[in-house]
Amino acid sequence: MDTLAERQRTFDADQMAVASFILALPGLLLFNLVLGPCAIMLAVLALVRGTRRPFRAGLGLTLGIADLAVLAVTVVASHGTFWHA
């Protein structure tokens, strides 16, 4: 039988999986330096804690990595400058 603590842990892991996905989506266009690592961290924590939404956590993880890839491509394409005065 599931104890209350186990159900709460699973619920928290499910919420982390959803938060990972939600943070990773806007991270593709905005604030990818911050949102990408946050999405990756939440997705990994959700998977380790045994979420019932592993597909959502996997999407969050994949999109979080894509956020960092977009950032890398943008920095390389702009020759390393973040801000044009």
Side-chain angles (χ1 to χ4, degrees):
M1 293 200 134
D2 288 336
T3 64
L4 181 61
E6 288 174 1
R7 279 188 267 148
Q8 183 64 38
R9 183 176 175 158
T10 303
F11 178 76
D12 290 344
D14 292 345
Q15 296 301 314
M16 285 183 209
V18 172
S20 169
F21 179 69
I22 289 173
L23 287 175
L25 278 176
L28 289 170
L29 300 174
L30 303 168
F31 307 117
N32 29 16
L33 183 62
V34 175
L35 295 179
C38 287
I40 292 169
M41 179 184 64
L42 285 171
V44 169
L45 281 173
L47 290 170
V48 166
R49 292 185 182 190
T51 183
R52 292 177 298 186
R53 301 174 184 227
F55 184 71
R56 182 80 40 97
L59 281 175
L61 181 63
T62 303
L63 288 173
I65 293 169
D67 291 349
L68 296 178
V70 166
L71 176 65
V73 168
T74 304
V75 169
V76 168
S78 64
H79 304 291
T81 58
F82 286 105
W83 190 288
H84 294 285

